[in-house]
Amino acid sequence: MNFTNPQIQTEDLPNIEDVVLKPISKSYLKIITLNRLAFYSLILGAVFGLKYLIKEDGFQDNFWLVFIGVIVICIANFIISILAFKKRKYAVRGYDVIYAKGLIIHSIITVPISRIQHVEESRSWLARHLGLSTLKIFTAGEAGSDLSIKGLQQLEAKGINDFISAKVNGNN
Amino acid sequence: MEITDFSQPIRQSAKGIIVIFAFNLLKFFKKFVVFFIAFGIQVIRKKSFGGVTPTMIYLGLIAMLVLILIIAILKYFNFKFHLSKDDFHLATGIINKDNIIIPKSKIQNVYIKQNFLQQIINVVSVKIETAGDKKSEIEISALDKRTALLLKKKLFNKTTSISGELEQVESIEEPEVFFKVTPKRLFLEGLSQNHFKSFLLIITFSYGLYSELKDFLKELDLEKHVDGLVELDEATILNLIITNVIIVIGVVLISFLFSIVKTFIINFNLEVVEHQKTIEINKGLFNKVSLSLTPSRIQNLVITTNRVKQYFGLHSLSVKQAMVNVKQQKNFNIVALEKEQLNYLVNKLISNYSEDQGEIAKPRPYFMRITTLEMLVFGSVINGLSLAIFGIEMLWINAVFIPVAALYIYFAYKKAYYKISENFVTIGSGVIDTTTNILEIHKIQGVKLKQTIFQRPRDIASLVISTASKSVTIPYISKSEALIIYDFLLYKVESQDRDWM
């Protein structure tokens, strides 16, 4: 009987902290900026719309206060999204894919390649112009373990896609 | 009519027409009932509306009925299924023909259900479910019971070579009824349920009823009467208190009754049958359900009990599978189990599980701080609301709220623990209920480490473990501990080449 049951030293296990995470493409910052700006202009437009809809004095008198409040929130949000950009990192190991993101709530998600159901590479109009793509990785069941790595260089995304597809097919 | 040979395309029992007809009729009425009533009343009142007379309405209704019947008949004739060696085949569709093939190995569940109508005409429906999305469900709505059972058996037997063996084994080992609920235990189960939900439901319902009736009451000029009655001398205050107490007791009684009746209807004649490899659950009063659980398809086990239930020895076991919709998910509940029966079942469903494996560890006390914060937010909302609605004297609710909140925090922390052993993750949680979540490590789909910006200086993080059926969280543990678990779980999943279903 050649069954062995060696003790596992948890210190010796591959360590997630040791992995060098790669930042996503810098050009993606442009997409974030553009998206955010479009979003803010929508909100500010809505605020101006309210100015013409609501004729009450209380609102009209304090309109600029509301307006400045909204602008401050937008700026804070913008700064946070820019800072959070640096936190978007990813790595592919032999057996899993790692993605880290978030400034205020930082999270690191790891999905074992053997659990991946399918991979999707999607490119928006803007991303196509910047040569970027989004890699979506789907596992079974709940959405909690699905990954979507945005802002990868197109070649990089294709490479990862091919690697994962080959691995997944090889396993079956 | 009993069918034994499934190799040729066959139709369901002719009674299926009735079931399909009734089902479509119900669906049709659900969609158009408002329209019909509104339009119909208009027409009947005015004798005609836009050139439509009552006679035309009746004729239209009859035409609709006939149309639905014709559709039902056509559906019946165009619904054929058969079994090949490895697959289940189904051809449906009147105009758009669908041909569905499901490999037997991908079938996750086979239910046998019987609703009220089906009980009357003595047929059952068979539902075949895969782990895909809701659309991939297949329902054969009318088969006689023996055919259904045979079909189910054939669906679970994977290949002919094994099936011969299996049938032999099964014929030797008669399936035995492992657990059968008694009415007394069911009654206790209903009684000891978390009544908050039914209580809230009834409160909102009666409040809604009250606000509907308010205008009506005003019209009756009751207000003056009431005003006349409420002269604040001591006797009336006493009366008022007594009335309020009676109302509260009444509501509590009703919510008890509600819970008990609900438990009885859902779990009537609950029965757990033990087969060679699977476990079968039968239950239901109006909707009889029978379903089989295959251990390899199970993703999570959730055990729930509470103080009162523990006293009576009642435990519920809920089995989570991949991508089962919420309505079905409720059927995978086995209630009123004894502790030993529970342990036996857990062991049957996930082999080698034992409660003693692994060390119990608790979240950091930071957990309490967060819970306190939550309670503070909740408390300020409550205070704000009562101040706004009832005025300053309602602040006395804090006398009730603060002790309850303190107890809440205490119990939430006391019941929170986690345990990582060689093959299993066990997580305990709950406040009123005691919930235990068990999952097998090789069924994990993904692991996530979460840390907010406030937790970073304190070196605290949470770990979210996802399986195909749900995600569980180990809250607020130290980051180094979280990283060790993270690495360990990944190592376990990636180093062994085991399937998750």
Side-chain angles (χ1 to χ4, degrees):
Chain A
M1 188 180 189
N2 54 22
F3 173 75
T4 52
N5 194 2
Q7 189 189 355
I8 301 155
Q9 297 297 339
T10 43
E11 308 82 71
D12 300 341
L13 291 180
N15 198 326
I16 190 90
E17 290 254 279
D18 296 345
V19 180
V20 183
L21 294 170
K22 259 176 153 174
I24 61 169
S25 165
K26 285 242 159 44
S27 328
Y28 191 67
L29 196 58
K30 289 178 197 158
I31 293 186
I32 292 182
T33 316
L34 282 175
N35 275 342
R36 288 280 122 188
L37 287 181
F39 180 64
Y40 299 143
S41 47
L42 258 178
I43 286 187
L44 291 180
V47 171
F48 266 108
L50 280 180
K51 182 176 156 65
Y52 290 102
L53 280 175
I54 302 176
K55 290 290 178 208
E56 268 175 54
D57 284 346
F59 182 76
Q60 290 290 343
D61 293 344
N62 297 319
F63 173 73
W64 290 108
L65 233 66
V66 174
F67 187 67
I68 289 168
V70 171
I71 282 195
V72 167
I73 292 173
C74 286
I75 290 174
N77 185 287
F78 187 64
I79 292 170
I80 290 174
S81 1
I82 298 292
L83 289 177
F85 174 74
K86 288 191 178 154
K87 298 281 180 186
R88 292 177 187 236
K89 288 176 174 176
Y90 70 97
V92 182
R93 294 198 285 190
Y95 289 96
D96 48 31
V97 183
I98 304 166
Y99 184 47
K101 65 165 198 279
L103 177 73
I104 295 188
I105 301 174
H106 184 66
S107 64
I108 308 172
I109 313 173
T110 306
V111 174
I113 290 176
S114 58
R115 297 291 180 266
I116 292 172
Q117 297 289 314
H118 76 279
V119 193
E120 188 183 309
E121 206 188 318
S122 78
R123 311 181 69 202
S124 66
W125 175 81
L126 212 57
R128 274 204 302 279
H129 280 265
L130 294 167
L132 299 178
S133 2
T134 298
L135 195 67
K136 292 182 181 163
I137 296 175
F138 296 91
T139 61
E142 293 286 290
S145 53
D146 289 348
L147 278 188
S148 149
I149 307 179
K150 288 170 183 155
L152 289 171
Q153 288 290 353
Q154 199 202 338
L155 277 177
E156 178 87 19
K158 198 170 177 330
I160 299 174
N161 193 346
D162 290 347
F163 173 75
I164 293 174
S165 302
K167 273 266 188 184
V168 170
N169 289 332
N171 278 349
N172 290 339
Chain B
M1 178 184 71
E2 193 182 328
I3 310 158
T4 45
D5 178 27
F6 290 107
S7 59
Q8 293 304 314
I10 42 173
R11 298 199 180 95
Q12 50 194 324
S13 152
K15 290 170 183 169
I17 298 175
I18 305 175
V19 180
I20 299 172
F21 175 66
F23 187 69
N24 282 351
L25 198 64
L26 202 69
K27 217 157 73 178
F28 177 74
F29 268 99
K30 263 187 194 159
K31 267 187 193 158
F32 291 106
V33 72
V34 180
F35 170 76
F36 261 107
I37 288 174
F39 197 66
I41 286 177
Q42 279 283 358
V43 170
I44 290 167
R45 227 187 235 166
K46 294 181 179 166
K47 296 292 173 200
S48 87
F49 183 75
V52 184
T53 56
T55 341
M56 281 170 84
I57 287 264
Y58 296 134
L59 281 178
L61 268 179
I62 292 169
M64 276 331 281
L65 284 182
V66 172
L67 193 68
I68 293 173
L69 183 65
I70 291 173
I71 289 174
I73 294 171
L74 284 177
K75 261 192 182 167
Y76 164 76
F77 276 110
N78 286 296
F79 189 98
K80 283 181 177 175
F81 62 92
H82 72 278
L83 283 173
S84 68
K85 193 166 158 258
D86 299 314
D87 308 304
F88 173 83
H89 299 252
L90 174 73
T92 61
I94 304 168
I95 296 166
N96 292 322
K97 301 282 184 191
D98 280 334
N99 222 329
I100 302 166
I101 301 169
I102 303 179
K104 278 188 196 174
S105 60
K106 298 289 178 209
I107 292 172
Q108 176 163 265
N109 280 314
V110 178
Y111 309 91
I112 295 183
K113 283 170 81 171
Q114 204 177 23
N115 65 22
F116 204 58
L117 175 70
Q118 286 166 329
Q119 283 183 43
I120 292 171
I121 60 174
N122 196 22
V123 290
V124 297
S125 72
V126 176
K127 224 173 189 180
I128 299 170
E129 212 179 53
T130 60
D133 58 89
K134 282 160 206 159
K135 279 180 190 162
S136 60
E137 262 176 29
I138 285 173
E139 185 165 1
I140 306 172
S141 40
L143 283 176
D144 60 289
K145 188 141 192 211
R146 295 186 60 178
T147 316
L149 286 176
L150 196 69
L151 177 63
K152 181 177 165 183
K153 204 168 158 189
K154 293 223 167 171
L155 283 173
F156 271 124
N157 288 349
K158 272 165 200 144
T159 50
T160 36
S161 61
I162 300 172
S163 79
E165 222 171 283
L166 256 179
E167 267 164 42
Q168 259 186 1
V169 174
E170 264 183 31
S171 59
I172 295 165
E173 246 182 71
E174 270 293 293
E176 78 180 279
V177 177
F178 163 70
F179 169 73
K180 202 170 161 63
V181 80
T182 57
K184 187 189 154 209
R185 287 182 71 80
L186 217 49
F187 177 75
L188 287 175
E189 171 74 31
L191 200 66
S192 59
Q193 244 170 32
N194 190 344
H195 290 287
F196 270 109
K197 259 186 215 157
S198 355
F199 190 74
L200 281 181
L201 208 72
I202 286 164
I203 291 277
T204 29
F205 178 71
S206 31
Y207 185 77
L209 209 65
Y210 171 72
S211 42
E212 285 289 308
L213 286 177
K214 212 155 77 178
D215 298 336
F216 183 66
L217 287 177
K218 254 185 201 159
E219 263 175 42
L220 281 180
D221 229 10
L222 263 175
E223 204 115 308
K224 271 184 195 165
H225 271 288
V226 175
D227 276 343
L229 280 174
V230 182
E231 276 166 17
L232 290 173
D233 54 57
E234 275 175 31
T236 40
I237 285 183
L238 196 69
N239 265 340
L240 208 67
I241 290 174
I242 289 175
T243 331
N244 275 329
V245 167
I246 288 175
I247 287 175
V248 168
I249 291 177
V251 170
V252 168
L253 274 182
I254 290 172
S255 51
F256 269 51
L257 203 70
F258 186 77
S259 301
I260 292 171
V261 169
K262 206 175 117 201
T263 316
F264 259 95
I265 288 178
I266 294 174
N267 296 307
F268 186 73
N269 262 345
L270 170 69
E271 204 176 60
V272 180
V273 184
E274 199 182 344
H275 291 280
Q276 185 69 13
K277 281 201 180 121
T278 59
I279 295 226
E280 189 185 316
I281 305 173
N282 300 316
K283 64 179 180 183
L285 183 62
F286 297 125
N287 265 316
K288 281 192 189 167
V289 203
S290 159
L291 40 98
S292 296
L293 297 172
T294 322
S296 65
R297 300 282 190 260
I298 293 165
Q299 308 293 330
N300 291 57
L301 287 183
V302 182
I303 300 163
T304 333
T305 183
N306 61 34
R307 258 300 153 75
V308 187
K309 281 187 187 172
Q310 239 162 26
Y311 176 75
F312 291 124
L314 299 166
H315 298 79
S316 343
L317 176 71
S318 142
V319 178
K320 310 265 185 232
Q321 291 180 311
M323 291 301 264
V324 175
N325 63 41
V326 187
K327 215 171 142 194
Q328 303 289 7
Q329 194 78 263
K330 280 184 190 145
N331 286 330
F332 293 101
N333 248 331
I334 309 173
V335 296
L337 285 164
E338 297 269 8
K339 183 83 183 153
E340 294 90 65
Q341 292 168 327
L342 175 79
N343 285 345
Y344 183 82
L345 264 188
V346 168
N347 247 307
K348 174 96 186 176
L349 294 175
I350 47 177
S351 48
N352 296 325
Y353 180 76
S354 116
E355 284 196 332
D356 318 320
Q357 279 170 357
E359 270 175 59
I360 290 182
K362 285 194 79 65
R364 296 275 295 272
Y366 183 79
F367 183 96
M368 285 202 275
R369 199 182 306 187
I370 290 289
T371 331
T372 315
L373 212 64
E374 279 170 12
M375 280 290 116
L376 269 178
V377 171
F378 185 56
S380 45
V381 167
I382 280 192
N383 271 313
L385 275 180
S386 50
L387 264 179
I389 297 173
F390 298 105
I392 197 88
E393 58 267 38
M394 265 311 268
L395 281 182
W396 62 262
I397 57 155
N398 283 322
V400 182
F401 178 72
I402 290 171
V404 169
L407 277 178
Y408 181 94
I409 296 162
Y410 172 73
F411 277 115
Y413 184 63
K414 197 184 158 202
K415 289 185 177 178
Y417 72 89
Y418 66 94
K419 202 161 65 175
I420 316 281
S421 63
E422 194 71 4
N423 294 315
F424 306 100
V425 177
T426 313
I427 296 171
S429 62
V431 181
I432 296 172
D433 288 335
T434 309
T435 312
T436 315
N437 236 305
I438 306 169
L439 62 96
E440 286 172 281
I441 288 180
H442 73 266
K443 286 178 178 166
I444 290 173
Q445 300 279 337
V447 197
K448 181 173 169 186
L449 187 85
K450 248 166 76 177
Q451 188 180 42
T452 66
I453 206 164
F454 310 107
Q455 289 164 357
R456 197 179 338 196
R458 299 190 177 84
D459 208 31
I460 279 170
S462 298
L463 203 63
V464 183
I465 304 168
S466 309
T467 64
S469 62
K470 68 183 278 192
S471 298
V472 290
T473 308
I474 302 180
Y476 315 124
I477 52 179
S478 71
K479 193 177 179 196
S480 50
E481 177 72 23
L483 282 172
I484 291 174
I485 298 172
Y486 198 102
D487 291 335
F488 176 71
L489 294 180
L490 283 176
Y491 163 76
K492 273 299 209 183
V493 174
E494 288 160 10
S495 65
Q496 31 180 276
D497 196 18
R498 288 176 75 179
D499 274 337
W500 60 274
M501 90 167 246

